[in-house]
Amino acid sequence: MLDYFVDPIIIGVSIGMVYGLVALGISLIYSGLDIVHFAHGEIYMFGAFIGLTLFQKLALPYVPTLLLAIVLTGLLGMFIERVFYRRLTSGGGGYTVAGMAMVVSGFGMSILLQNIAFLIWGPKALPFPVPHGMPIEIGDLALPMSYVWIIGTALVLMTALHLVLKKTMIGLAMRAVAYNKDIAYLSGINVPLMISLTFGVACALGAAAGVLIGPINYVQVQMGIGILVKAFAAAVVGGFGSLPGAVLGGVLVGVVESLGAGFISGTYKDVYAFVLLIIVLMVRPAGILGVSIKMKA
Amino acid sequence: MSAVGAAMLDIKDLTGGYGRVQILNGANLSVQRGQIVALLGGNGTGKSTLLKAASGLIRPWGGSITFAGTRIDAMRPDAIVRAGLVQVTQGKETFPGMTVEENLLLGAYVVKDRARRNAALERVYDYFPILRDKRHQPSGGLSGGQLQMVCIGRGLMSSPSMIMLDEPSAALAPQIVMGIFQTIHRIARDGMTVLMVEQNVRMALLLASYGYVIKDGMIHIEGPSEHLINDDNVRLSYLGGTVANREAKL
């Protein structure tokens, strides 16, 4: 009897980790730059395509593929922020006045990136066949290695992010910038650089999610749309702007979705996340770990 | 002016403001090395704006700001900190999600050498012993006076040659203010040049050797503190009533 639950929960947790990684990026950008980034799904999509290209064209092993895709997508994100977003957010003399122009620009960037991906990689859904090896057997369960990789990698990345934000001067500076840009400046912190870094790290996490989900789903141009909605649901459920909240929300959304699909109906898979979202918003509008302090690691 | 040494900070014909609102209308101010200088004035006269222009938080519209012989009016705030000029803002703003020590360490962000950072930390704990006891507590839970200590301490962490304090006495109890002012006095005696903006005119003039009174974005009156404290205009405008005995106060 228990096995009926364990299987969908493990799958839900691993998919939830992917949602959590994307939601982490959205929360990082929101707390660091005061931008709600609507093109983050496309960053995830680009990460997946870049990973796939590295994996197939350069025939790199999976781990270097993952790392390189993370770095390249992070740099792409920093470029996008510097060239397109920054001029929109600096209008008020800082980075804190991100108005409607920024929101519209995010949607525009989303469409632009989809079309660029379409031109480069075409409309077809591409497989990302990674030979992870045989499933792990735990009792009666056969757990595919892709899920183990997702959970393991996501945990490593989240721990690394936590340690960087908590223990290093750069991490402290990123949090300082998220909290108060003027005071950060007066402490001698290079605020524009920290903003670039924050955006880059957020995009890198999105790319990791894309490369991790690749072996389970296909890689395709529209894959960013669905994840954006799920990641937003995750971020809001956990408490928008809270980093642990983003991870928690991601896992909750993933598990609820997976259980719903397993026990109620797979047809309505996408509904369950939003039912959860609505319930959380009704009971606790600030989200489960709703925060007053930004980028609390 | 009683010059003690070379001018540390020299502000000439400074104009500036926010958006289209002009606040500074050609302010001139000069701070000599090793001096404590008070910048006085009522609300909305441009005191804080002047400090923000000097620290680079707002870009001046015109005029010049020279610090230790270098023009700094087009530099970014972090570069100005690296040059050795630090501002402590009004409002006792800390990073509340971080511990006292993390807050202080951020002030030494420009110091890449860990040993020097720790030495700066020890010096701050020496000035404000209470912060050593609270080093691992989140700054969000501190009292107003302790927050102000964190802010001043954070300003000292990069070992600047000059510090600008924006209303260090604001919204604090008189005993606490006395303690803070005594520490500022000690910091200055240890070689720091200080420019302080104050509403608490009498206390500021007792501490400072020279004072400026700003009005409508221009320097209205200036002079050595003992002159200002006896100046009828200053007394009428800011001190109110009679002037207390100077020695009795400090």
Side-chain angles (χ1 to χ4, degrees):
Chain A
M1 178 59 208
L2 194 65
D3 293 353
Y4 285 110
F5 284 98
V6 172
D7 214 23
I9 284 178
I10 291 178
I11 292 173
V13 167
S14 58
I15 301 297
M17 287 288 191
V18 172
Y19 296 159
L21 283 173
V22 180
L24 255 183
I26 290 172
S27 277
L28 266 177
I29 292 173
Y30 178 71
S31 22
L33 286 78
D34 295 277
I35 290 174
V36 179
H37 189 218
F38 285 105
H40 214 64
E42 278 59 46
I43 297 290
Y44 157 89
M45 179 263 292
F46 255 78
F49 269 117
I50 289 174
L52 180 63
T53 308
L54 292 171
F55 190 69
Q56 289 190 321
K57 295 281 189 302
L58 298 184
L60 288 178
Y62 191 61
V63 173
T65 297
L66 186 66
L67 293 177
L68 204 51
I70 284 175
V71 171
L72 289 176
T73 315
L75 291 175
L76 171 73
M78 287 164 86
F79 172 79
I80 291 172
E81 188 275 328
R82 184 69 194 86
V83 175
F84 297 102
Y85 295 161
R86 187 163 301 181
R87 59 191 71 231
L88 292 170
T89 56
S90 58
Y95 296 87
T96 51
V97 185
M100 206 51 184
M102 188 56 240
V103 172
V104 175
S105 166
F107 279 118
M109 182 56 63
S110 151
I111 295 169
L112 176 69
L113 289 176
Q114 281 179 42
N115 282 279
I116 291 174
F118 176 83
L119 288 174
I120 302 176
W121 292 291
K124 279 206 331 218
L126 305 174
F128 195 150
V130 179
H132 278 322
M134 295 301 287
I136 298 184
E137 303 212 0
I138 309 165
D140 295 340
L141 281 174
L143 185 63
M145 281 301 287
S146 333
Y147 293 106
V148 179
W149 271 92
I150 291 178
I151 296 177
T153 313
L155 286 178
V156 168
L157 289 174
M158 287 163 185
T159 312
L161 178 68
H162 177 80
L163 289 178
V164 166
L165 288 178
K166 262 293 203 245
K167 301 284 178 204
T168 68
M169 282 303 278
I170 293 236
L172 279 183
M174 282 166 72
R175 285 162 63 201
V177 169
Y179 179 66
N180 188 326
K181 286 164 190 67
D182 278 358
I183 304 292
Y185 249 144
L186 294 178
S187 303
I189 294 166
N190 186 337
V191 173
L193 179 67
M194 288 306 138
I195 288 199
S196 268
L197 268 180
T198 304
F199 202 88
V201 168
C203 292
L205 292 171
V211 176
L212 287 171
I213 200 84
I216 296 176
N217 287 358
Y218 284 87
V219 177
Q220 54 179 317
V221 171
Q222 292 93 352
M223 69 191 278
I225 302 166
I227 193 96
L228 181 78
V229 180
K230 296 286 170 58
F232 265 112
V236 174
V237 164
F240 209 75
S242 153
L243 305 188
V247 177
L248 178 68
V251 170
L252 276 178
V253 167
V255 169
V256 166
E257 202 178 74
S258 171
L259 287 175
F263 292 99
I264 305 171
S265 161
T267 322
Y268 301 111
K269 187 166 159 278
D270 290 340
V271 173
Y272 308 120
F274 301 107
V275 173
L276 174 70
L277 175 65
I278 290 166
I279 291 172
V280 168
L281 284 180
M282 274 163 41
V283 179
R284 207 178 142 77
I288 295 172
L289 300 179
V291 280
S292 51
I293 294 164
K294 286 172 160 185
M295 215 184 274
K296 192 160 185 227
Chain B
M1 185 192 297
S2 59
V4 179
M8 191 98 207
L9 180 72
D10 204 17
I11 294 178
K12 283 210 159 56
D13 302 322
L14 191 67
T15 54
Y18 305 94
R20 286 188 185 165
V21 183
Q22 181 159 359
I23 310 273
L24 297 171
N25 295 299
N28 288 286
L29 180 147
S30 168
V31 180
Q32 309 301 311
R33 193 179 293 276
Q35 241 183 348
I36 300 184
V37 170
L39 176 59
L40 313 166
N43 280 325
T45 49
K47 305 185 302 278
S48 296
T49 313
L50 188 137
L51 287 201
K52 282 184 187 167
S55 67
L57 281 185
I58 60 168
R59 183 71 50 97
W61 298 355
S64 71
I65 307 173
T66 312
F67 175 70
T70 319
R71 281 284 292 263
I72 57 167
D73 36 290
M75 276 160 71
R76 265 203 338 238
D78 53 311
I80 293 175
V81 170
R82 234 170 277 126
L85 176 60
V86 164
Q87 184 198 353
V88 176
T89 55
Q90 189 179 355
K92 305 189 275 281
E93 288 178 287
T94 62
F95 305 114
M98 302 181 196
T99 64
V100 167
E101 188 152 302
E102 286 173 329
N103 265 282
L104 293 174
L105 281 174
L106 273 170
Y109 187 76
V110 298
V111 181
K112 294 301 167 200
D113 179 35
R114 186 183 291 260
R116 280 186 51 212
R117 275 208 299 260
N118 286 337
L121 201 54
E122 283 309 310
R123 205 163 50 239
V124 169
Y125 287 147
D126 186 40
Y127 285 133
F128 304 108
I130 183 88
L131 296 186
R132 190 195 298 274
D133 304 333
K134 307 233 172 209
R135 63 205 293 179
H136 297 305
Q137 288 184 24
S139 69
L142 298 181
S143 71
Q146 291 160 356
L147 283 176
Q148 188 60 272
M149 294 176 196
V150 171
C151 291
I152 297 175
R154 188 175 55 207
L156 295 172
M157 282 294 293
S158 61
S159 308
S161 39
M162 175 172 170
I163 190 162
M164 301 185 288
L165 305 168
D166 197 347
E167 300 210 17
S169 76
L172 293 177
Q175 280 124 316
I176 313 261
V177 171
M178 194 58 93
I180 298 251
F181 272 43
Q182 274 164 358
T183 311
I184 294 172
H185 181 67
R186 223 183 114 196
I187 291 166
R189 211 183 43 209
D190 291 347
M192 183 78 67
T193 308
V194 179
L195 172 61
M196 59 192 291
V197 159
E198 259 305 333
Q199 299 259 19
N200 193 336
V201 172
R202 188 174 296 140
M203 288 281 281
L205 285 178
L206 290 175
L207 191 60
S209 60
Y210 201 85
Y212 290 86
V213 177
I214 191 169
K215 195 177 173 189
D216 299 328
M218 285 157 70
I219 298 301
H220 186 54
I221 310 169
E222 65 174 286
S225 297
E226 56 267 33
H227 292 186
L228 286 183
I229 216 160
N230 295 317
D231 185 298
D232 286 342
N233 285 323
V234 177
R235 200 186 316 185
L236 282 175
S237 312
Y238 305 105
L239 292 175
T242 55
V243 180
N245 183 304
R246 182 172 186 208
E247 314 316 319
K249 271 286 173 181
L250 255 190

